[in-house]
Amino acid sequence: MDVLVPLLQLLVLLLTLPLHLLALLGCWQPLCKTYFPYLMAVLTRKSNHKMESKKRELFSQIEGLMGASGKVALLELGCGTGANFQFYPAGCRVTCLDPNPHFEKFLTKSMAENRHLQYEQFVVAPGEDMRQLADGSMDVVVCTLVLCSVQSPRKVLQEVQRVLRPGGVLFFWEHVAEPQGSWARMWQQIVEPTWKHIGDGCCLTRETWKDLEKARFSEIQMERQPCLFKWLPVGPHIMGKAVK
């Protein structure tokens, strides 16, 4: 199996050679940043349909974090198109962070459709460097389908810890690697170099649960879920919360 992976990776590379040449010449990334929000708008609608009850159950816990003011400061990390907004309870003051500025018009549309939320700001920055946000300024951080594509999950989680107040909560939903030694894992390894270009840096073989366990949260609750779309090479998902 180990011998097959590099050979099949080469075959996939040859079949998608124009894409890799564009990436090598620096032409692909600007194009990807432009089209990726449109792709995510389609996929998130489909995933929300499949995950509606689970997301409502997860994000309903935000209400319990509201103080006497009935407000909660919420940071959505890698906010994308704002697909989660419909699941947040009233009283959320939402700050959005994403490294791709092309998502802003989708966010504006999502906010217009979710008037029960208070929109604070859109910060264009990577999750590894959230210096524009103060220490302990957030009650809640939401991270869905983000840690697969960041440069360093460890640094992102360190920043999450920094901006969360004591007792604040990270809610997460992430796709992760298939089991080691499985044929599905081998397929992920084969297509990953090409998939990173298609999915704006998305890594298929990350064992994100390990990063969460090492991040020194006081409590972690996590459940494993099957893959949503069998026709995509993304693997199973993990969903849960981590308390600072």
Side-chain angles (χ1 to χ4, degrees):
M1 192 178 285
D2 289 341
V3 177
L4 275 176
V5 170
L7 292 175
L8 291 174
Q9 279 180 338
L10 180 60
L11 177 60
V12 173
L13 187 149
L14 291 172
L15 291 172
T16 57
L17 189 58
L19 186 157
H20 290 276
L21 288 174
L22 285 171
L24 187 64
L25 294 170
C27 301
W28 177 255
Q29 189 68 4
L31 181 64
C32 180
K33 291 292 184 187
T34 303
Y35 89 78
F36 192 66
Y38 293 91
L39 175 62
M40 288 304 296
V42 174
L43 289 178
T44 51
R45 277 198 300 270
K46 292 180 182 295
S47 65
N48 272 351
H49 178 70
K50 289 175 175 284
M51 291 297 297
E52 181 174 359
S53 62
K54 283 289 186 182
K55 281 192 172 185
R56 289 200 185 281
E57 180 184 348
L58 181 70
F59 296 133
S60 67
Q61 299 175 68
I62 293 173
E63 283 194 76
L65 298 168
M66 293 180 178
S69 67
K71 301 287 185 182
V72 63
L74 185 152
L75 168 66
E76 174 133 11
L77 184 61
C79 54
T81 61
N84 292 323
F85 292 171
Q86 62 182 293
F87 304 112
Y88 297 155
C92 289
R93 295 170 28 240
V94 182
T95 297
C96 300
L97 183 139
D98 202 288
N100 188 345
H102 295 288
F103 276 116
E104 187 166 17
K105 67 178 181 181
F106 293 90
L107 286 174
T108 303
K109 181 176 182 293
S110 292
M111 273 297 170
E113 294 170 351
N114 293 277
R115 296 291 187 182
H116 64 291
L117 305 176
Q118 181 180 333
Y119 183 46
E120 295 290 295
Q121 61 176 323
F122 175 49
V123 179
V124 179
E128 293 90 343
D129 183 9
M130 297 190 280
R131 67 182 71 182
Q132 297 179 58
L133 304 176
D135 295 3
S137 58
M138 297 294 161
D139 302 302
V140 170
V141 175
V142 173
C143 180
T144 61
L145 304 182
V146 172
L147 295 176
C148 59
S149 59
V150 298
Q151 292 293 317
S152 171
R154 180 183 62 82
K155 288 182 179 178
V156 171
L157 292 172
Q158 285 176 348
E159 279 289 86
V160 168
Q161 289 263 19
R162 181 183 66 78
V163 302
L164 275 175
R165 64 163 172 80
V169 180
L170 166 67
F171 292 97
F172 59 87
W173 179 55
E174 298 287 338
H175 72 79
V176 294
E178 294 281 4
Q180 194 72 252
S182 66
W183 286 101
R185 177 65 167 260
M186 187 184 80
W187 172 238
Q188 286 183 322
Q189 291 174 305
I190 291 165
V191 301
E192 186 169 66
T194 299
W195 183 258
K196 280 183 181 180
H197 293 309
I198 297 169
D200 198 18
C202 176
C203 299
L204 298 169
T205 58
R206 282 199 173 154
E207 297 175 327
T208 305
W209 66 90
K210 293 182 179 179
D211 295 305
L212 286 160
E213 289 166 352
K214 292 175 184 175
R216 297 183 180 179
F217 287 100
S218 63
E219 177 191 348
I220 298 178
Q221 296 177 16
M222 188 187 311
E223 67 175 66
R224 200 172 178 90
Q225 299 166 345
C227 178
L228 285 182
F229 304 111
K230 301 299 182 184
W231 47 276
L232 289 177
V234 295
H237 292 66
I238 54 172
M239 175 179 270
K241 69 176 183 179
V243 182
K244 179 177 176 179

